[in-house]
Amino acid sequence: VKPNSGSQGTDVSLVNTKQEFYTTLKKIFKHDRIALVQRYVSGRDYRIVVLDKQVISAYERIPLSVIGDGRATILQLLKRKQKEFSSSNRDTLLKPNDPRIAQKLRRQRLSLRSVPSKGVCVYLLDNANLSSGGDAVDVTESMHQSFKKLAIDFTRDMGLRMSGVDLMVQGDIREKAKKYWILEINAAPGLDHYASSGKEQEKIVENLYFKVLKSLSR
């Protein structure tokens, strides 16, 4: 369930019960007149950025998670992650009181006070937006050519020169496209969180903006 407008994964929730459904709708309708209800699909979440019939970048989006050390609570690990974001100049603001985090933890029979064992990964959100604290794994060079063609074709069909094509892929994007779902074709893909995830990603975004400005000057 998600609002019809908005950005950065705000108020996007995976609901499993009637109570969760109505609670989520009530929250959405405080800011939006329309809510979208979509069938849940699972797989690996990717964003492919296209500019002028060329794939500029592609990355897998991993939902917000923490890795246990056997001593710290999930809340302490989350605060530690926030410090890591701040030290790397990533302006993502993590919200431990986000009801979606509490909901996700309840399904795993956990809470913010739980202490995960060393090396155990605990996912805190279902959506993988980088603005919500998700991580990016670059796949620009390893992505199969069939997915590049799909993203370029989708962008063209929408009458866009630039877009962020969000796909849920059953399998690996390094292999030929077989089963996938189009989550969204974004006409204004935000790249600041992607840029702050590493020096290489920062350079990709700088080059992208350079190409946009160069294209506009023609």
Side-chain angles (χ1 to χ4, degrees):
V1 181
K2 62 183 181 181
N4 187 52
S5 57
S7 61
Q8 301 188 336
T10 303
D11 290 339
V12 176
S13 298
L14 173 63
V15 299
N16 289 269
T17 66
K18 185 183 288 188
Q19 183 179 348
E20 289 177 359
F21 176 72
Y22 285 114
T23 299
T24 301
L25 284 182
K26 194 177 293 185
K27 188 176 181 184
I28 288 174
F29 288 145
K30 288 180 181 178
H31 312 289
D32 203 319
R33 294 178 59 205
I34 301 172
L36 303 179
V37 182
Q38 300 174 333
R39 184 165 58 94
Y40 174 71
V41 293
S42 61
R44 298 174 72 168
D45 190 324
Y46 296 95
R47 166 161 287 185
I48 306 171
V49 181
V50 176
L51 173 65
D52 286 338
K53 300 180 182 178
Q54 182 182 355
V55 171
I56 301 300
S57 71
Y59 51 95
E60 182 176 3
R61 302 187 297 183
I62 311 295
L64 173 64
S65 63
V66 293
I67 306 293
D69 62 4
R71 298 186 304 275
T73 64
I74 291 174
L75 179 59
Q76 290 170 331
L77 292 169
L78 198 56
K79 289 180 178 178
R80 195 180 296 170
K81 190 155 197 168
Q82 181 68 77
K83 287 181 180 179
E84 291 171 1
F85 283 170
S86 300
S87 62
S88 63
N89 295 320
R90 181 172 171 178
D91 62 359
T92 303
L93 182 62
L94 301 178
K95 300 174 182 177
N97 61 345
D98 188 329
R100 296 175 301 175
I101 291 179
Q103 187 172 286
K104 179 73 172 176
L105 288 173
R106 272 198 304 272
R107 289 194 206 115
Q108 301 172 77
R109 298 185 178 181
L110 298 170
S111 72
L112 289 173
R113 296 187 298 276
S114 300
V115 178
S117 301
K118 187 173 183 179
V120 171
C121 178
V122 179
Y123 288 101
L124 303 178
L125 288 174
D126 291 299
N127 63 308
N129 298 67
L130 302 190
S131 52
S132 301
D135 294 310
V137 178
D138 202 279
V139 295
T140 310
E141 298 301 324
S142 59
M143 179 174 55
H144 194 276
Q145 190 64 35
S146 59
F147 282 105
K148 291 184 180 181
K149 185 178 185 306
L150 281 171
I152 291 168
D153 288 348
F154 291 150
T155 303
R156 180 202 61 210
D157 292 345
M158 294 296 289
L160 299 171
R161 291 179 62 188
M162 178 181 176
S163 80
V165 178
D166 294 345
L167 298 175
M168 187 70 77
V169 177
Q170 202 170 81
D172 196 322
I173 204 167
R174 292 173 294 185
E175 300 171 358
K176 188 175 180 180
K178 291 180 182 176
K179 191 168 185 179
Y180 60 88
W181 295 268
I182 307 165
L183 300 181
E184 183 177 84
I185 298 174
N186 196 322
L191 296 169
D192 51 338
H193 295 283
Y194 173 68
S196 63
S197 63
K199 288 293 181 183
E200 185 178 340
Q201 289 75 20
E202 183 181 356
K203 189 65 179 175
I204 289 171
V205 174
E206 285 179 359
N207 290 337
L208 170 60
Y209 288 149
F210 177 73
K211 287 180 180 179
V212 170
L213 293 171
K214 193 174 180 181
S215 180
L216 288 172
S217 67
R218 290 173 187 163

